[in-house]
Amino acid sequence: MADVAVGGGAGTVRALVGEVRRRLESSGMTGARGEARDLVAAVLGVPRLWPSANGDAVVAAGVATAAADAAARRATGMPFAYAVGRASFRHLTLEVDQRVLIPRQETEVLVDLVLERAGRGGTAIDIGTGSGAIALALATEARFDRIIATDVAEGALEVARRNAERLAAQSRCPVEFRQGSLLAPVRGERARVLVSNPPYISHDEAGSLPASVRDWEPAVALFSGAGGLAATVSIVRGAVDVLEAGGLLALEVDVRRAALVVEAVAACGRFSDVRVALDLTGRERFVVATFAGE
């Protein structure tokens, strides 16, 4: 590892973790000890427990500066992933900033659902790609011929493209990024899979969100009209013009509205095998369905 060397002294990993811990504690943060270790690990790009086992390693000056800057951001209440500029998603490490949602562990299950049912070949479309998490997980794990990822925000696409460039060597198929609202950028396409983690929180529910979400993450990726259902229903209705016969629709949904999404899919009259899937905590978090065709 270029940024550390074996040795001892003031510039060690142990000392850096201690400095970061003191900075976080001074802001009133609880759990600062573990957070300091995790922050240093993230800056170094190593497993989270690595600093505990390698305290005598000497860090480069640039690492110490980067860790101090990340600690200062975290001390303001900035979410950890934004503070360190990266987040884990499945087997990937993705760059993130405030232009994109922080990838969630529950969304990894959405990728599993696609992998279980997608088969090989064809096109997969990811609507509202954000950091590119879903699209890039599929590009590195599935066997599609190509993937199209869309987002309404150009800033989000800049982040996703950077992640795609970093992960190009791991990808099994090309990923094309297109800007536009929901399905507008993919008119005329035919896909084997249409997957999305769309905005699904109602505007009047903003006050119930944790401050770390409400005050930091992009509103355009969180909130949707019509009681949180507008984006989801639009995708469901538009999917019939994009999916090929037998194609898979896979959506992440609000746990309070899974039944309503199932109703919207059934109301189209064009889908079969409509079902709700559970997240890792047993909540109704996903809706999947097969397009029956014309």
Side-chain angles (χ1 to χ4, degrees):
M1 187 182 305
D3 292 324
V4 296
V6 177
T12 63
V13 168
R14 183 179 295 105
L16 180 58
V17 171
E19 291 170 9
V20 170
R21 177 183 177 181
R22 287 188 288 275
R23 178 67 182 87
L24 297 178
E25 287 176 337
S26 69
S27 71
M29 180 179 294
T30 59
R33 180 176 183 178
E35 182 116 355
R37 176 204 60 208
D38 293 350
L39 187 150
V40 171
V43 170
L44 283 169
V46 297
R48 58 188 296 268
L49 297 180
W50 188 92
S52 299
N54 296 273
D56 289 332
V58 178
V59 297
V63 170
T65 299
D69 291 344
R73 291 189 291 269
R74 185 71 180 107
T76 69
M78 178 180 283
F80 183 89
Y82 290 152
V84 300
R86 65 190 69 185
S88 296
F89 186 77
R90 295 180 70 85
H91 62 290
L92 305 176
T93 299
L94 302 170
E95 292 184 18
V96 297
D97 61 31
Q98 288 174 255
R99 294 174 291 177
V100 299
L101 286 182
I102 298 168
R104 266 53 169 196
Q105 187 177 19
E106 57 260 32
T107 305
E108 296 183 9
V109 178
L110 183 61
V111 175
D112 281 328
L113 293 169
V114 173
L115 294 174
E116 289 168 5
R117 300 179 59 169
R120 296 171 65 97
T123 297
I125 295 175
D126 173 26
I127 301 298
T129 196
S131 65
I134 293 172
L136 294 172
L138 293 176
T140 55
E141 296 184 61
R143 293 288 185 179
F144 294 107
D145 295 326
R146 65 174 182 149
I147 295 172
I148 302 170
T150 78
D151 204 286
V152 70
E154 179 57 34
L157 290 176
E158 289 176 6
V159 176
R161 289 189 183 104
R162 281 205 313 270
N163 282 321
E165 290 170 2
R166 290 177 45 253
L167 298 169
Q170 301 177 43
S171 296
R172 296 172 170 175
C173 71
V175 181
E176 177 186 350
F177 296 96
R178 300 182 185 179
Q179 184 181 11
S181 177
L182 301 177
L183 296 175
V186 293
R187 290 195 182 106
E189 297 287 351
R190 284 292 175 183
R192 179 182 295 264
V193 170
L194 181 63
V195 59
S196 182
N197 176 17
Y200 52 63
I201 299 171
S202 172
H203 292 283
D204 60 11
E205 293 166 345
S208 65
L209 293 175
S212 60
V213 175
R214 182 185 62 247
D215 297 344
W216 294 95
E217 301 201 56
V220 69
L222 291 171
F223 300 108
S224 183
L229 286 169
T232 301
V233 170
S234 180
I235 291 170
V236 169
R237 291 174 177 170
V240 300
D241 297 319
V242 174
L243 284 170
E244 59 189 44
L248 175 68
L249 174 66
L251 302 169
E252 183 167 328
V253 301
D254 188 285
V255 297
R256 297 162 292 188
R257 290 183 269 272
L260 295 175
V261 176
V262 169
E263 290 177 9
V265 174
C268 285
R270 306 282 292 279
F271 291 93
S272 63
D273 191 23
V274 184
R275 65 183 180 93
V276 174
L278 307 181
D279 66 12
L280 297 172
T281 63
R283 298 175 299 174
E284 296 183 332
R285 175 66 75 172
F286 313 100
V287 173
V288 294
T290 300
F291 181 52
E294 301 299 331

